[in-house]
mmCIF file of all heavy atoms in Angstrom:
data_model
loop_
_atom_site.group_PDB
_atom_site.id
_atom_site.type_symbol
_atom_site.label_atom_id
_atom_site.label_comp_id
_atom_site.label_asym_id
_atom_site.label_seq_id
_atom_site.Cartn_x
_atom_site.Cartn_y
_atom_site.Cartn_z
ATOM 1 N N ILE B 49 -13.969 2.963 10.581
ATOM 2 C CA ILE B 49 -15.172 2.418 10.322
ATOM 3 C C ILE B 49 -15.313 1.932 8.876
ATOM 4 O O ILE B 49 -14.673 2.488 7.986
ATOM 5 C CB ILE B 49 -16.342 3.457 10.618
ATOM 6 C CG1 ILE B 49 -17.671 2.798 10.772
ATOM 7 C CG2 ILE B 49 -16.370 4.592 9.583
ATOM 8 C CD1 ILE B 49 -18.696 3.786 11.484
ATOM 9 N N TYR B 50 -16.191 0.900 8.666
ATOM 10 C CA TYR B 50 -16.380 0.336 7.334
ATOM 11 C C TYR B 50 -17.852 0.231 7.029
ATOM 12 O O TYR B 50 -18.702 -0.071 7.897
ATOM 13 C CB TYR B 50 -15.768 -1.071 7.334
ATOM 14 C CG TYR B 50 -16.293 -1.922 6.202
ATOM 15 C CD1 TYR B 50 -15.795 -1.778 4.903
ATOM 16 C CD2 TYR B 50 -17.342 -2.896 6.436
ATOM 17 C CE1 TYR B 50 -16.328 -2.558 3.909
ATOM 18 C CE2 TYR B 50 -17.857 -3.634 5.437
ATOM 19 C CZ TYR B 50 -17.330 -3.495 4.138
ATOM 20 O OH TYR B 50 -17.879 -4.266 3.126
ATOM 21 N N GLN B 51 -18.159 0.438 5.769
ATOM 22 C CA GLN B 51 -19.541 0.258 5.303
ATOM 23 C C GLN B 51 -19.518 -0.504 3.981
ATOM 24 O O GLN B 51 -18.852 -0.048 3.020
ATOM 25 C CB GLN B 51 -20.290 1.647 5.064
ATOM 26 C CG GLN B 51 -21.702 1.586 4.547
ATOM 27 C CD GLN B 51 -22.693 1.370 5.604
ATOM 28 O OE1 GLN B 51 -22.564 1.999 6.719
ATOM 29 N NE2 GLN B 51 -23.661 0.552 5.334
ATOM 30 N N GLY B 52 -20.214 -1.606 3.880
ATOM 31 C CA GLY B 52 -20.360 -2.338 2.617
ATOM 32 C C GLY B 52 -21.455 -1.750 1.768
ATOM 33 O O GLY B 52 -22.430 -1.328 2.250
ATOM 34 N N SER B 53 -21.284 -1.897 0.443
ATOM 35 C CA SER B 53 -22.274 -1.337 -0.419
ATOM 36 C C SER B 53 -23.603 -1.975 -0.317
ATOM 37 O O SER B 53 -24.640 -1.425 -0.694
ATOM 38 C CB SER B 53 -21.735 -1.408 -1.907
ATOM 39 O OG SER B 53 -21.497 -2.769 -2.232
ATOM 40 N N TYR B 54 -23.636 -3.232 0.124
ATOM 41 C CA TYR B 54 -24.924 -4.002 0.265
ATOM 42 C C TYR B 54 -25.516 -3.902 1.674
ATOM 43 O O TYR B 54 -26.546 -4.510 1.903
ATOM 44 C CB TYR B 54 -24.763 -5.393 -0.246
ATOM 45 C CG TYR B 54 -24.580 -5.481 -1.725
ATOM 46 C CD1 TYR B 54 -23.375 -5.858 -2.273
ATOM 47 C CD2 TYR B 54 -25.635 -5.185 -2.581
ATOM 48 C CE1 TYR B 54 -23.210 -5.971 -3.659
ATOM 49 C CE2 TYR B 54 -25.511 -5.254 -3.989
ATOM 50 C CZ TYR B 54 -24.244 -5.651 -4.502
ATOM 51 O OH TYR B 54 -24.089 -5.714 -5.856
ATOM 52 N N ASP B 55 -24.759 -3.297 2.550
ATOM 53 C CA ASP B 55 -25.248 -3.211 3.936
ATOM 54 C C ASP B 55 -26.499 -2.326 4.043
ATOM 55 O O ASP B 55 -26.475 -1.233 3.533
ATOM 56 C CB ASP B 55 -24.169 -2.625 4.862
ATOM 57 C CG ASP B 55 -22.931 -3.569 5.033
ATOM 58 O OD1 ASP B 55 -23.088 -4.753 4.680
ATOM 59 O OD2 ASP B 55 -21.910 -3.133 5.471
ATOM 60 N N GLN B 56 -27.455 -2.851 4.696
ATOM 61 C CA GLN B 56 -28.780 -2.059 4.738
ATOM 62 C C GLN B 56 -28.650 -1.042 5.915
ATOM 63 O O GLN B 56 -29.407 0.022 5.846
ATOM 64 C CB GLN B 56 -29.943 -3.053 5.023
ATOM 65 C CG GLN B 56 -30.155 -4.046 3.919
ATOM 66 C CD GLN B 56 -30.639 -3.374 2.694
ATOM 67 O OE1 GLN B 56 -31.455 -2.465 2.695
ATOM 68 N NE2 GLN B 56 -30.017 -3.762 1.584
ATOM 69 N N GLN B 57 -27.952 -1.331 6.893
ATOM 70 C CA GLN B 57 -27.869 -0.455 8.040
ATOM 71 C C GLN B 57 -26.575 0.363 7.964
ATOM 72 O O GLN B 57 -25.548 -0.140 7.550
ATOM 73 C CB GLN B 57 -27.945 -1.182 9.362
ATOM 74 C CG GLN B 57 -29.285 -1.961 9.535
ATOM 75 C CD GLN B 57 -29.621 -2.143 10.964
ATOM 76 O OE1 GLN B 57 -28.736 -2.208 11.840
ATOM 77 N NE2 GLN B 57 -30.959 -2.213 11.238
ATOM 78 N N ASN B 58 -26.647 1.559 8.555
ATOM 79 C CA ASN B 58 -25.474 2.410 8.627
ATOM 80 C C ASN B 58 -24.543 1.830 9.696
ATOM 81 O O ASN B 58 -24.955 1.346 10.819
ATOM 82 C CB ASN B 58 -25.832 3.807 9.049
ATOM 83 C CG ASN B 58 -26.437 4.603 7.855
ATOM 84 O OD1 ASN B 58 -26.319 4.218 6.734
ATOM 85 N ND2 ASN B 58 -27.091 5.656 8.185
ATOM 86 N N ALA B 59 -23.193 1.896 9.429
ATOM 87 C CA ALA B 59 -22.227 1.353 10.373
ATOM 88 C C ALA B 59 -22.034 2.321 11.515
ATOM 89 O O ALA B 59 -22.135 3.518 11.404
ATOM 90 C CB ALA B 59 -20.916 1.107 9.605
ATOM 91 N N THR B 60 -21.820 1.687 12.720
ATOM 92 C CA THR B 60 -21.457 2.549 13.870
ATOM 93 C C THR B 60 -20.328 1.805 14.601
ATOM 94 O O THR B 60 -20.227 0.574 14.619
ATOM 95 C CB THR B 60 -22.591 2.643 14.840
ATOM 96 O OG1 THR B 60 -23.096 1.344 15.249
ATOM 97 C CG2 THR B 60 -23.728 3.379 14.185
ATOM 98 N N GLU B 61 -19.351 2.641 15.148
ATOM 99 C CA GLU B 61 -18.224 2.098 15.949
ATOM 100 C C GLU B 61 -17.998 3.101 17.040
ATOM 101 O O GLU B 61 -17.309 4.170 16.802
ATOM 102 C CB GLU B 61 -16.946 1.940 15.135
ATOM 103 C CG GLU B 61 -16.958 0.883 14.070
ATOM 104 C CD GLU B 61 -16.719 -0.521 14.628
ATOM 105 O OE1 GLU B 61 -16.420 -0.557 15.888
ATOM 106 O OE2 GLU B 61 -16.954 -1.514 13.969
#
Side-chain angles (χ1 to χ4, degrees):
Chain B
I49 197 166
Y50 160 81
Q51 178 84 42
S53 58
Y54 289 110
D55 292 344
Q56 296 294 317
Q57 298 209 331
N58 287 341
T60 59
E61 290 283 351

